[in-house]
Amino acid sequence: MQLTLWTYEGPPHVGAMRIATSMRDVHYVLHAPQGDTYADLLFTMIERQDRRPPVTYTTFQARDLGGSTADLVKTAVAEAYERFKPKALLVGESCTAELIQDQSGSLACGMNLPIPVIPLELPSYSKKENWGAAETFYHVVRALLADQVPPPGTPRPARAEGRRPHANLLGPTVLGFRCRDDVQEIRRLLDLLGIDVNVIAPLGASPDDIRRLPEADFNIDLYPEVSRTTASWLQRNFGMPATRVIPMGVGATRDFIAEVAQLAGIDASAVLAAEQPGVAGFSSSLSRMPWYARSVDSTYLTGKRVFIFGDATHAIAAARIAKEEMGFTVVGLGTYSREFARDVRDAAKLYDVEALISDDYLEVEQAIGAAAPELVLGTQMERHIAKRLGVACAVISIPIHVQDVPARYSPVYGFEGANVIFDTWVHPLVMGLEEHLLQMFRDDFEFHDDAAASHLPAVARDARPAAAPDAVAAAEPVVTAVATPEPVSAAAGEPTWSEDGERELKKIPFFVRGKAKRNTEAFAREHGLATITVETLYDAKAHYGR
Amino acid sequence: MSNLHDIPVVLSQRSGSDLPVLRERGQREVFCGLTGIVWLHRKLQDAFFLVVGSRTCAHLVQSAAGVMIFAEPRFGTAILTDRDLAGIADANDELDRVCISLLERRPEIKALFLVGSCPSEVIKLDLARAAERLNERLLPRVRVLSYSGSGIETTFTQGEDNALKAFVPIMPQTDARQLLVVGCLPDVVEDQFRRQFEQLGIGPVNFFPGRRAEDVPSIGPNTQLLLAQPFNGETVRALTARGATVLAAPYPFGVEGTTAWLRAAARAWQTPDTQFDAVTAPLIKRARAALERYRPQLAGKRLFMLPDSQLEIPLARFLNREMGMALVEVGTPYLDRQMVSEELALLPPDVVLSEGQHLERQLDRVRAARPDLTVCGLGLANPLEAEGLATKWSIELVFSPIHGYDQAADLAELFVRPLARRERLAV
Ligand code: SF4
Ligand code: SF4
């Protein structure tokens, strides 16, 4: 039994719903009690879908147990087929139905419907949403392609003379992170390279499209959490190679182009020539991001401490961007995707940090507090953590809220994605800077002490004492909102701040104040000083440098 | 009941007891009783609600709660894992361990609710026994209670019913006369009613639940119950089994409902009519004036209510009689006639009542009728809007203060807003 306050992922059948809802002409019969229909609102409210997920729930009740629950499955399957006329039917169970063992999948298969019926067995008590999505996608593809698998060892037919190379885009789903726009961006990029998109799946694909997957020359594994299993299966059974690079960030997009060019057997040097590091400029590059990062007003971004947490794909890619393209310092990297823990551990080594592999929200909050970042890149969960800690934050990964599904075109993949990322990561920091200015001028008569910013944590702070005093106290805020200067507290045996030292500390811009405080305290400890005076503060400053 | 139908009285038509009901079975699109945790934990400020269930249950409560303002909310889920199911770990020991460590971390918690779910019920994890066991260790510091919010036993608001019912056995016995208002009300509404009862010379008055789980009201033969929510039928039956009596009244929605509700208590306390009128007249006047602003926007509009919060029947009565809306169909997850007999009597005799749900068939009826406003759950709202149908999410009705005179207009406004918005938009 595991105590959970907030969960990053839903159960695996929600992952299956993401696949079914992404596709066309597919229906999912889910053996589940009525409460499980809540999952519909994830799609209709968060993603603002304009139609219900194509899911029929059996909604069995206690009085059906030990009798007619199996009949409910058959009725639901028959009615769903009759009403929706899907071209493929998924049949599965949620956590409760898994316990009563009605074998929904076999029941449905036994009904001899004239369409493929794909039974799903997704263990609810050990697996989670992303795994459920990957497994469902894989089962759909395998079931629909079963009769096309060539005998082992069959060589792939060569591409017809004069035909442009074709690629499949695998992995985009509804309730994924910016999939709708990423797909468009990657398609544009491929077109530029002279590559056509064969099938995009699961997003927007019908069962007929799935059957056409082998017609492509290779696969682009865009969202490995969802598509890695399927891409590997296609590689093993159809000899279709798949990409490994995630085109997020300018550097990764360049690498992606090189990888794709190699898989497609084309020459991308013309495109890449303008994209060399240090060369890519305002007018030459397909992305404005390299120039924006190099332009002088970005200097203040240098060395910003950033903590990154999310699904493995976005977290790993974000870390590279943070370091190489924004000039940040990565002080934390982690994921809730245990399936991809190894990849994240490997990536963490590049930044000399210990990877945080956890789906325990409180543990993540603690790690963020301890790392004292100036920017958190995370999921909507980390947004709340960052708010409470008073740290700037941008969302880079699911789980998301409705505000993370913007109306405007906002991919995070490809060159335009890099532009979007630059803007969205810098924005909260600029906001912070603006607040600093407010603070500097706060003694001027036009300003008053409680002229707090609207986007920073004033509200969350007020809610704090009511929330959980103990937990919040444990994770001390690094950055302080304008109107509420951080109290300088002293633990037993720790150096204490003198009044003048504390006053001086408060004059330091809030976005470096946490660091100054930490450094000064460490300095005082090291030198056995009991009291921190103004002089200690400047001694420490000289010792550490900025 | 059945021989009642043999008596050929026209009156029964008007009393609403034999309004025809369309009973349906099929897919239900309703939350389970776990959802009640979202408002119950706000009301009971010293209580923690621990769902014993699956990741689905955790995800449901989290999705219904919407925003995560609190790092450590006063609810959570003890998620069953393969080890618990395979018997590798003894589920009872595990539960004790989780509860004890939780309470160590949260010393401010005075009451712990163990909330049963579908999985805990199917594997027959006895939470009542677990509560007893934990009480032996934890009382008096913390009291542990248990109830079921499972989707196989409860729909949406029934979770509150079960939670309140769990208090009944531990309510102290009293012979003193009191009015007990049953059903979770926002604090602001509770305070208004308190003032009104006082002005009416009614008292002592207690509210159940109170603001702290520690403060359990007493109960006995001289307790008279005034029901604030229509979904607490089991609780009411348990309270009457302990001697309390129910003051029959419609629910305090709108001017008419609120007046009749207060009057039921006033009659029992023999408040003189003159005093009753003196107290209520200004309140009624103010509420009517506020309602008048919205009435033109609702009058004549056709309303379809999908079964969800169990508030459908009283709200349909309010919207029909005070706001002049026409009722196309009023759905309810289940029809507890005892709880709504006063309400049924006020519905128009030709109303189409439906109980239970067959979602697809019901949506067919919605599409055929093309009502001006459809009240439904969150999962259905955007899809129906996309079909050109204005909707009101029923969950807002449970989270907003809507009872009493001074909220009557707020209640009406909730239904006006989607219509007014459509009128404004030109995109
Ligand atoms: S319906 Fe049952 S399994 Fe689903 S969330 Fe509610 S209690 Fe949990
Ligand atoms: S939050 Fe306030 S200070 Fe910051 S950008 Fe907005 S208006 Fe300006």
Side-chain angles (χ1 to χ4, degrees), chain A residues 12-24 26 28 43 51 54-55 90 120 129-141 171-174 201-205 210 225-227 230:
Chain A
H13 71 259
V14 169
M17 285 181 68
R18 277 170 56 197
I19 303 300
T21 308
S22 298
M23 294 184 66
R24 288 181 295 123
V26 166
Y28 182 21
F43 297 87
R51 55 191 179 107
V55 180
L90 308 179
L120 297 174
E129 178 180 334
N130 281 339
W131 182 89
E135 194 69 4
T136 302
F137 184 38
Y138 160 65
H139 277 285
V140 167
V141 169
T173 61
V174 289
L203 193 63
I210 298 292
E225 272 85 352
V226 174
S227 46
T230 302

Side-chain angles (χ1 to χ4, degrees), chain A residues 186-203:
Chain A
I186 295 304
R187 184 199 269 279
R188 221 161 63 175
L189 184 62
L190 293 175
D191 187 51
L192 188 79
L193 295 169
I195 299 169
D196 287 336
V197 171
N198 177 50
V199 170
I200 300 168
L203 193 63

Side-chain angles (χ1 to χ4, degrees), chain A residues 273-316:
Chain A
E275 299 293 343
Q276 299 308 313
V279 170
F282 194 69
S283 49
S284 57
S285 171
L286 287 165
S287 175
R288 289 185 199 98
M289 200 270 197
W291 172 244
Y292 270 51
R294 284 175 188 279
S295 71
V296 288
D297 69 19
S298 294
T299 310
Y300 79 97
L301 299 174
T302 313
K304 288 270 177 224
R305 300 165 60 82
V306 54
F307 192 104
I308 302 167
F309 193 86
D311 65 14
T313 298
H314 290 88
I316 293 170

Side-chain angles (χ1 to χ4, degrees), chain A residues 7 34 38 40 64 83, chain B residues 25 28-29 59 62 77 364:
Chain A
T7 164
Q34 62 185 348
Y38 81 90
D40 284 358
D64 304 316
R83 180 176 281 266
Chain B
R25 277 199 78 181
R28 303 163 68 103
E29 182 92 4
H59 205 223
Q62 168 172 335
T77 307
D364 286 346

